């Protein structure tokens, strides 16, 4: 069997894994192809630029195998880097979330963004923004978001915040209005845990309690549908219509949790029975700042964050069809994240996907 192998007269780009990453190459790889011969070894004939030569099979081919594996890992990593959106549970989800730098998760289906980070361009076209807490990597882009919508003549957005920061957010915008001498128009809603807000006639949102180092809350978006009450199921159409016209409420309102977003939080939210809807939403978007043994779960708790090990430990409570992991520490590479995700995937029936936009490959 003959194998064709591309050769280079000069070393390849060091930022890209070479097909031959090992150091000790035959001299033919540093110049023009020549015929290699030696004694007392088992050889495999190869064909390079139509010129046959012989190499030691036992070590050379194993190096080729490792190099091909590295090339494949690199291609997978690059594909993860350039991916701009993720389809989960029937929803297209995009954005980025890097611990301590910025978080903004966009769901165009609901015209909303969870947190606003540094206000990525795509977020400007969302009508609703849900702020989980007041750290800058989650709220810093808010003035830019409002100003940009005004610049593009988009309608004033609706911004949801924990009630305890509403007054400070208003002051923040007053400062920007004074400094920039511009109008910044928006509706600011202080939405507390347990309260419900109608986004449209078939969609509502409710906050749920989370635990961070400052006041915080997550959000669950529900779909709304009406179902005929059991006592009226046996009735015919005309009878049902008559009851309806008489003012009788003939339907029950059914709320189905579609998407839950935690923001920054410890894993304690998973143990709160009042947060059951978040754990059974079709898509659970949860943080996983720490992924490995270099940091303990106690370290994560003290900083108001979640360790992947804690999600694994409490995986039995998750009923979601899909889990989007976010907010990884910037110390991790895409390969680190992918390896860690496999540990959780083996413990849950849900599809587990990491949001790796903005993270670097170990090969880059």
């Amino acid at each position: 069997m003959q194998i064709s192998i591309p050769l280079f007269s000069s070393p390849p780009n060091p930022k890209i894994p070479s097909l031959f990453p090992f150091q000790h190459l035959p001299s033919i790889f540093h110049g023009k192809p020549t015929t290699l011969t030696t004694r007392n070894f088992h050889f495999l004939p190869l064909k390079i630029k139509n010129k046959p030569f012989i190499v030691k099979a036992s070590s050379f081919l194993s190096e080729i195998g490792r190099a091909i594996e590295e090339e494949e890992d690199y291609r997978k990593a690059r594909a993860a880097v350039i991916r701009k959106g993720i389809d989960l549970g029937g929803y297209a989800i995009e954005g980025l979330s890097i611990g301590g730098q910025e978080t903004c998760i966009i769901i165009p289906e609901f015209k909303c963004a969870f947190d606003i980070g540094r206000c990525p361009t795509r977020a400007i076209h969302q009508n609703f923004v849900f702020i989980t807490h007041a750290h800058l990597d989650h709220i810093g882009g808010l003035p830019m978001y409002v100003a940009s919508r005004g610049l593009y003549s988009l309608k004033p957005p609706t911004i949801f915040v924990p009630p305890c920061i509403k007054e400070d957010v208003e002051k923040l915008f007053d400062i920007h209005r004074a400094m920039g001498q511009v109008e910044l128009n928006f509706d600011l809603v202080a939405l507390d845990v347990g309260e419900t807000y109608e986004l449209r006639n078939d969609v509502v949102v409710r906050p749920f309690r989370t635990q961070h180092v400052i006041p915080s809350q997550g959000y669950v978006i529900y779909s709304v549908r009406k179902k005929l009450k059991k006592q009226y199921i046996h009735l015919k159409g005309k009878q049902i219509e008559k009851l309806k016209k008489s003012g009788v409420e003939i339907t029950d309102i059914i709320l189905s949790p579609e998407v839950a977003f935690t923001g920054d939080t410890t894993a304690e939210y998973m143990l709160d029975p009042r947060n059951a809807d978040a754990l059974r939403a079709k898509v659970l978007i949860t943080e996983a700042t720490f992924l490995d043994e270099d940091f303990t779960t106690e370290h994560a708790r003290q900083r108001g964050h979640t360790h992947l090990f804690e999600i694994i430990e409490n995986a039995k409570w998750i009923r979601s069809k899909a889990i989007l992991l976010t907010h990884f520490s910037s110390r991790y590479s895409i390969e680190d994240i992918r390896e860690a995700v496999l540990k959780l995937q083996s413990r849950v029936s849900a599809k587990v996907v990491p949001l790796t936009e903005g993270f670097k490959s170990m090969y880059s």
Side-chain angles (χ1 to χ4, degrees), residues 236-252:
K236 295 181 179 180
K238 289 185 178 180
Q239 293 173 305
I240 292 174
E241 187 65 26
K242 185 177 180 180
L243 283 173
K244 188 176 180 180
K245 289 181 178 179
S246 67
V248 176
E249 183 56 60
I250 61 173
T251 58
D252 289 320

Side-chain angles (χ1 to χ4, degrees), residues 12-221:
N13 188 333
K15 292 186 178 181
I16 301 177
S18 168
L19 184 59
F20 305 104
F22 41 91
Q23 298 298 321
H24 303 292
L25 298 177
S27 61
I28 58 167
F29 290 102
H30 302 292
K32 296 180 179 180
T34 60
T35 300
L36 175 67
T37 61
T38 188
R39 299 178 180 179
N40 302 323
F41 291 99
H42 297 289
F43 299 109
L44 179 70
L46 300 177
K47 186 177 182 181
I48 297 180
K49 293 187 178 180
N50 298 320
K51 293 185 179 181
F53 71 95
I54 307 299
V55 295
K56 182 180 176 182
S58 59
S59 62
F60 189 75
L61 289 183
S62 64
E63 295 289 1
I64 291 178
R66 284 196 291 270
I68 290 174
E69 289 180 1
E70 284 196 22
E71 291 278 2
E72 181 63 22
D73 285 343
Y74 177 74
R75 283 193 291 270
K76 289 179 180 178
R78 290 308 305 158
V81 169
I82 64 176
R83 184 177 57 211
K84 297 301 181 184
I86 299 171
D87 291 325
L88 285 178
Y91 296 105
I93 302 174
E94 53 193 274
L96 70 167
S97 181
I98 305 173
Q101 296 186 17
E102 60 178 310
T103 290
C104 182
I105 307 298
I106 300 165
I107 305 183
E109 170 71 19
F110 299 123
K111 288 287 185 182
C112 79
F114 293 107
D115 288 332
I116 198 65
R118 300 179 185 178
C119 187
T121 302
R122 188 75 171 90
I124 295 170
H125 299 279
Q126 311 311 312
N127 296 335
F128 306 103
V129 169
F130 302 100
I131 299 297
T132 61
H133 65 289
H135 279 156
L136 282 177
D137 56 321
H138 292 257
I139 199 174
L142 197 56
M144 178 61 73
Y145 164 72
V146 174
S148 297
R149 286 185 64 87
L151 180 65
Y152 297 141
S153 299
L154 299 172
K155 70 177 184 180
T158 302
I159 301 168
F160 300 86
V161 298
C164 61
I165 69 170
K166 181 175 185 286
E167 184 177 343
D168 289 332
V169 171
E170 290 173 338
K171 291 178 181 177
L172 174 67
F173 276 93
D174 285 340
I175 292 172
H176 281 285
R177 290 188 185 101
M179 290 193 302
Q181 298 182 21
V182 294
E183 289 187 10
L184 296 171
N185 299 317
F186 60 94
D187 294 323
L188 187 62
V189 178
L191 196 63
D192 206 354
V193 171
E195 296 181 337
T196 302
Y197 187 96
E198 184 178 284
L199 301 179
R200 61 190 197 211
N201 58 9
D202 62 342
V203 175
V204 299
V205 63
R206 285 178 180 169
F208 64 94
R209 196 173 308 282
T210 57
Q211 294 79 30
H212 193 38
V213 293
I214 63 173
S216 63
Q217 61 188 36
Y219 296 89
V220 179
I221 293 181

